[in-house]
Amino acid sequence: LNAHVIYDKLRSRRTPFLSFKKDLVRELIAGRSYRKDYGRPRRGPVEYRLVENKHMVEFSRFSRACVVCSEKIKRRGGRVHAERVRVKTVCSSCQVSLCVRPTRNCFALYHTQERYW
């Protein structure tokens, strides 16, 4: 309300409050996007993850979903493996969670194939 009074004094004419609010909102959001990105940041470009000798397995304190297994589930519309797809292994360069097990090596798959799903 105080801003409306000041706005009227600066323009030296009376503006309806609703018009003032609409103008104010238009000015505040002009050319800006206020969409919040949820979740983890997006992975880097394909070329980066396919470069050899820069990726190492690290262990995390937190368990997260394996990127490869999650993508397979999403693309095939169901579970890929019988067990839960949560891992504590992370690529040191890409910062993505990947399975590293004798039965499946999503770490190698992710870093050697463009379409790993």
Side-chain angles (χ1 to χ4, degrees), residues 20-91:
F20 165 74
K21 282 175 39 175
K22 286 181 181 178
D23 290 343
L24 179 64
V25 169
R26 239 183 260 118
E27 288 293 320
L28 287 173
I29 63 171
R32 295 188 180 116
S33 173
Y34 292 96
R35 183 177 160 255
K36 180 162 174 33
D37 293 328
Y38 292 97
R40 293 192 309 242
R42 291 183 176 247
R43 296 182 289 280
V46 173
E47 299 82 30
Y48 180 75
R49 72 177 172 85
L50 296 176
V51 174
E52 293 181 31
N53 302 327
K54 294 195 183 266
H55 307 279
M56 301 287 290
V57 176
E58 288 182 348
F59 293 95
S60 172
R61 292 185 345 202
F62 309 102
S63 81
R64 297 190 303 192
C66 172
V67 171
V68 174
C69 294
S70 296
E71 190 66 29
K72 285 180 181 179
I73 290 168
K74 187 167 62 173
R75 290 184 179 269
R76 295 180 185 168
R79 292 204 66 81
V80 177
H81 308 293
E83 71 242 27
R84 196 167 173 214
V85 190
R86 306 265 314 163
V87 293
K88 289 189 174 190
T89 49
V90 180
C91 174

Side-chain angles (χ1 to χ4, degrees), residues 73-116:
I73 290 168
K74 187 167 62 173
R75 290 184 179 269
R76 295 180 185 168
R79 292 204 66 81
V80 177
H81 308 293
E83 71 242 27
R84 196 167 173 214
V85 190
R86 306 265 314 163
V87 293
K88 289 189 174 190
T89 49
V90 180
C91 174
S92 62
S93 299
C94 304
Q95 293 301 309
V96 293
S97 297
L98 298 159
C99 298
V100 182
R101 298 182 184 172
T103 55
R104 64 179 180 270
N105 190 349
C106 294
F107 187 86
L109 193 64
Y110 181 79
H111 290 103
T112 56
Q113 296 182 15
E114 189 171 335
R115 291 185 173 172
Y116 51 82

